[in-house]
Amino acid sequence: MASENKPIADDPIPEPMRPRSYRIQRVRQETEDTFTLELEPADGAKGFKFEPGQFNMLYVFGVGEVPISISGNPSSPETLTHTTRVVGTVTRAMRQLKRGDLIGVRGPFGKPWPIEQARGRDVVVVPGGIGLAPLRPVLYALTAQRKQFRRVALLYGARTPENVLFPKEMKQWRDRSNFDVHLTVDRATGAWRDSVGLVTNLIPRAPFDPANAVAMVCGPEVMMRFVVMELEKRGLTDDRIYVSLERNMKCGLGFCGHCLFGPTFICKDGPVFRFDAIRHFFSKWEV
Ligand SMILES: Cc1cc2nc3c(=O)[nH]c(=O)nc-3n(C[C@H](O)[C@H](O)[C@H](O)COP(=O)(O)OP(=O)(O)OC[C@H]3O[C@@H](n4cnc5c(N)ncnc54)[C@H](O)[C@@H]3O)c2cc1C
Ligand code: FES
């Protein structure tokens, strides 16, 4: 058991059921309904390492606990970053927190995105809406090791231009990281110059070699279902398509069964799954 005062960087889950107190260093409003919290351990301990795609259980004291992916840079784990969309009780209460307030953190949990499998290949990253938050650490990792990957296509769909997350970073990923960035919105407003329509429309012309590419997809399940179909039409096989799934969670550790999905636990075996492993259960809420 790790002492509260010891660094925890190499001991990521010392007491997995006990939230550790983190202090909010910064609150940033990203869009109308989405905000980012930057957190540091309240006791001055070091942050913990995480892999792109992993999530934490965030506890708003007295309200409840929810799973939220880590959206920060894996090479700067001293600050823990989470980007959250307000949808209900806990996320609404989380949005009320201010700089200096405390929040409970358990984690990191879950299986990461397949950065290793993508090495030496084209990479196709397809987020929809808030799905960009769990994929942002992948984009940081690809940027940090850019030469080890071939072409990187980022195909992002949002509801409106105002809902596009991380617009400044979009520009950096396009200009500095040399990613092929393609944006689309359901409804254009103002001086929008990119595409209008579903993110699936971006796939037929996206620059990647289906025989040597890995795709990572995160968004609403219906969006992921159609994205996977388009990727398959391009010739990408299911063993190189990865999706991230969401279900209600309680323990985050494979104990309680709340996140059971067919024969797997999303918290422990996912949330990132290779598509061929879950194809049979995908989009069936009753499993
Ligand atoms: C592994 C994992 C990672 C996640 N990462 C993120 C993340 O990085 N950022 C983020 O914003 N969310 C993320 N989520 C979703 C987040 O956990 C839920 O939005 C949250 O639990 C909702 O809690 P609540 O108390 O605010 O809403 P509740 O009061 O539980 O629900 C309010 C209403 O919103 C609906 N709802 C619940 N979840 C969602 C959802 N995901 N999308 C749309 N409607 C929903 C409910 O059905 C209900 O109608 C993740 C979920 C999982 C399982
Ligand atoms: S959340 Fe408890 S088993 Fe997955």
Side-chain angles (χ1 to χ4, degrees):
M1 191 179 291
S3 140
E4 282 292 274
N5 299 320
K6 275 193 189 158
I8 53 170
D10 296 320
D11 188 8
I13 314 184
E15 293 171 274
M17 289 307 290
R18 187 160 79 94
R20 296 190 301 274
S21 281
Y22 272 62
R23 196 170 298 283
I24 296 172
Q25 303 297 323
R26 193 167 170 196
V27 182
R28 196 169 44 246
Q29 192 71 33
E30 304 285 2
T31 67
E32 193 183 20
D33 61 4
T34 302
F35 62 97
T36 294
L37 297 181
E38 290 181 6
L39 315 170
E40 285 179 12
D43 61 4
K46 278 192 192 169
F48 51 78
K49 289 180 189 152
F50 69 93
E51 293 186 67
Q54 288 196 294
F55 67 94
N56 284 317
M57 297 299 294
L58 297 188
Y59 179 33
V60 181
F61 294 110
V63 182
E65 202 185 33
V66 287
I68 302 289
S69 304
I70 305 173
S71 66
N73 192 334
S75 59
S76 310
E78 56 284 353
T79 301
L80 187 55
T81 306
H82 286 282
T83 302
T84 304
R85 186 152 83 93
V86 176
V87 296
T89 313
V90 179
T91 50
R92 199 175 304 122
M94 201 186 292
R95 177 61 195 97
Q96 302 308 315
L97 298 175
K98 304 268 179 301
R99 183 171 191 266
D101 287 346
L102 294 176
I103 189 167
V105 175
R106 294 194 294 122
F109 299 127
K111 297 279 190 295
W113 294 105
I115 304 278
E116 285 312 312
Q117 292 89 318
R119 226 173 272 283
R121 299 178 189 265
D122 289 345
V123 189
V124 191
V125 179
V126 195
I130 186 70
L132 181 55
L135 278 165
R136 187 163 74 155
V138 170
L139 298 166
Y140 289 133
L142 298 180
T143 297
Q145 309 164 53
R146 182 66 189 89
K147 290 204 173 92
Q148 298 188 29
F149 304 90
R150 289 158 45 117
R151 288 171 294 182
V152 176
L154 170 59
L155 315 175
Y156 179 51
R159 279 174 288 164
T160 65
E162 295 73 31
N163 287 117
V164 170
L165 273 180
F166 316 129
K168 278 191 194 145
E169 281 172 294
M170 287 288 173
K171 200 166 157 19
Q172 288 171 6
W173 289 324
R174 190 177 264 154
D175 298 343
R176 291 197 216 149
S177 307
N178 194 24
F179 296 169
D180 280 295
V181 178
H182 299 274
L183 308 181
T184 187
V185 293
D186 298 342
R187 273 177 295 114
T189 54
W192 180 252
R193 293 217 184 100
D194 289 277
S195 305
V196 178
L198 299 175
V199 73
T200 42
N201 296 345
L202 301 176
I203 293 170
R205 280 169 290 117
F208 66 89
D209 172 10
N212 194 18
V214 168
M216 308 183 203
V217 187
C218 187
E221 272 190 32
V222 64
M223 167 258 176
M224 293 199 287
R225 183 148 51 94
F226 285 104
V227 166
V228 169
M229 281 163 58
E230 286 300 320
L231 292 168
E232 289 171 340
K233 276 192 215 159
R234 279 281 308 260
L236 207 59
T237 48
D238 288 351
D239 58 334
R240 282 181 287 111
I241 299 175
Y242 291 78
V243 297
S244 182
L245 297 184
E246 288 188 7
R247 287 291 186 276
N248 283 340
M249 286 189 187
K250 289 285 176 215
C251 69
L253 287 160
F255 294 156
C256 72
H258 266 80
C259 67
L260 205 57
F261 179 68
T264 66
F265 295 102
I266 289 185
C267 65
K268 188 164 67 77
D269 306 314
V272 175
F273 289 94
R274 209 172 81 173
F275 195 70
D276 57 349
I278 54 149
R279 164 173 270 290
H280 191 57
F281 310 103
F282 192 62
S283 288
K284 291 188 182 142
W285 274 95
E286 61 274 19
V287 296

